[in-house]
Amino acid sequence: MNKTELIEKIAAGAGLSKVDAKKALDATVEAIKAALAAGDKVQLVGFGTFAVADRPAREGINPATKQKITIPAKKVAKFKAGAELADAVK
């Protein structure tokens, strides 16, 4: 399912126009991104939890040159599915 199809499902399920459903989806995604950028985690009961995790620096190998390189540390977004979501996809 792509974003357009998701917007159509939201509009049909909530009785909204597609324009309003797109605004709602965009606002939700932006709110989640802003919370993660601020270092917060977002918990949606029954759906899951979005959080930021630190990935430490590590050694790697450049596959083209076989030379050892250092991969820098960075922050990554993580998602852990909630119980209801996990049960729904079984």
Side-chain angles (χ1 to χ4, degrees):
M1 176 181 293
N2 63 29
K3 185 176 178 180
T4 303
E5 294 167 339
L6 180 59
I7 289 169
E8 289 173 4
K9 294 277 188 182
I10 292 169
L16 300 171
S17 70
K18 288 181 186 178
V19 171
D20 289 339
K22 182 182 183 313
K23 287 179 185 177
L25 178 60
D26 289 343
T28 301
V29 170
E30 288 302 317
I32 292 171
K33 285 197 294 190
L36 293 177
D40 296 332
K41 70 178 168 179
V42 179
Q43 294 177 320
L44 302 173
V45 177
F47 184 72
T49 302
F50 296 91
V52 175
D54 290 318
R55 183 177 289 167
R58 63 191 192 279
E59 288 287 317
I61 297 175
N62 181 337
T65 63
K66 307 295 184 211
Q67 193 174 24
K68 286 188 177 184
I69 59 172
T70 300
I71 301 168
K74 68 178 184 176
K75 293 180 185 247
V76 294
K78 298 257 180 168
F79 176 76
K80 182 177 180 191
E84 288 179 33
L85 179 60
D87 289 343
V89 295
K90 279 187 181 179

